[in-house]
Amino acid sequence: MKLGVITDIHNNLTALRAVAEKLNQMECDKMICCGDIIGIGPFPEETVQYIMQIPNLIAVRGNHEKYLLEGMPSRYPNGENMGLEEMKHHKWEHNLLSSESIHFLESLPYKINLTYEGFSISVMHYCMDCEGHYMNNQYTANPSEDNLKKMFADVNSDIILYGHNHCRNICNSDKFYINVGSLGCPAQDKNVARAGVVKLDKGKAEVQTIDVEYDVNEVIRLIDEINYPDAENIKKYFYGLW
């Protein structure tokens, strides 16, 4: 069995199309998305509508879906370290989402447990505390094996698929911890959309990382054309335009 794995699409429809085509060519049986479909990029509604049409999709919520569905900070400073321009950005994109797209995002859970080929698999955006907050301030962008064991200590699955910090991190120790890296926020990689394929066969599990090149300059052009809130910071931190 082949499981195509993506995470952190962040409204980057151009990158999503490129990756979906590649994973389709690789004949993946399922597509698994570890959250953050929305946020940051130029096309929230179009991205949600596209991912809704992907056959055999399994997806969970990320923190950007949580901002939409459960609210976000209304003042600064706040516990999410969210600035005023970032707040404006979220309001901008939330207003563009149709009721159909919002309903789809509402249908996504925070965690899904699966069993394929004898392997137990947990899909989530990131580790969360008992109050439902993502624990992103406690661990580095590339958590060590020891950190991963602490982060997911309450998860008993053989394979843990996660995202959130945008950095690819593959660790096979007591469990298989797999973050394939952000699909939609290339940062220093500029024109690369990241993904992965988890292959399950005859009691063995392996992961193949996927890097798909696409026209990131077209995405940046669209960001400039729309000129939505916090666009300059977004281009700097998430598209590597220092």
Side-chain angles (χ1 to χ4, degrees), residues 129-141:
D129 62 23
C130 59
E131 297 179 349
H133 299 122
Y134 289 103
M135 298 163 62
N136 53 301
N137 293 327
Q138 299 186 27
Y139 300 102
T140 63

Side-chain angles (χ1 to χ4, degrees), residues 85-134:
E85 284 300 305
E86 188 177 353
M87 292 181 201
K88 291 179 183 178
H89 166 79
H90 289 299
K91 291 177 182 177
W92 167 80
E93 73 155 350
H94 294 171
N95 287 331
L96 292 177
L97 292 168
S98 66
S99 57
E100 182 183 33
S101 291
I102 293 172
H103 181 70
F104 168 75
L105 296 174
E106 284 177 331
S107 73
L108 304 180
Y110 280 111
K111 179 181 176 183
I112 293 177
N113 292 318
L114 308 165
T115 301
Y116 293 126
E117 302 289 337
F119 288 93
S120 56
I121 303 169
S122 287
V123 183
M124 65 200 77
H125 187 56
Y126 204 62
C127 58
M128 301 180 79
D129 62 23
C130 59
E131 297 179 349
H133 299 122
Y134 289 103

Side-chain angles (χ1 to χ4, degrees), residues 15-33:
L16 176 59
R17 284 173 170 160
V19 167
E21 181 179 350
K22 176 66 174 180
L23 295 178
N24 185 55
Q25 291 172 355
M26 296 179 70
E27 300 182 337
C28 291
D29 300 288
K30 304 282 184 181
M31 179 89 82
I32 297 177
C33 175

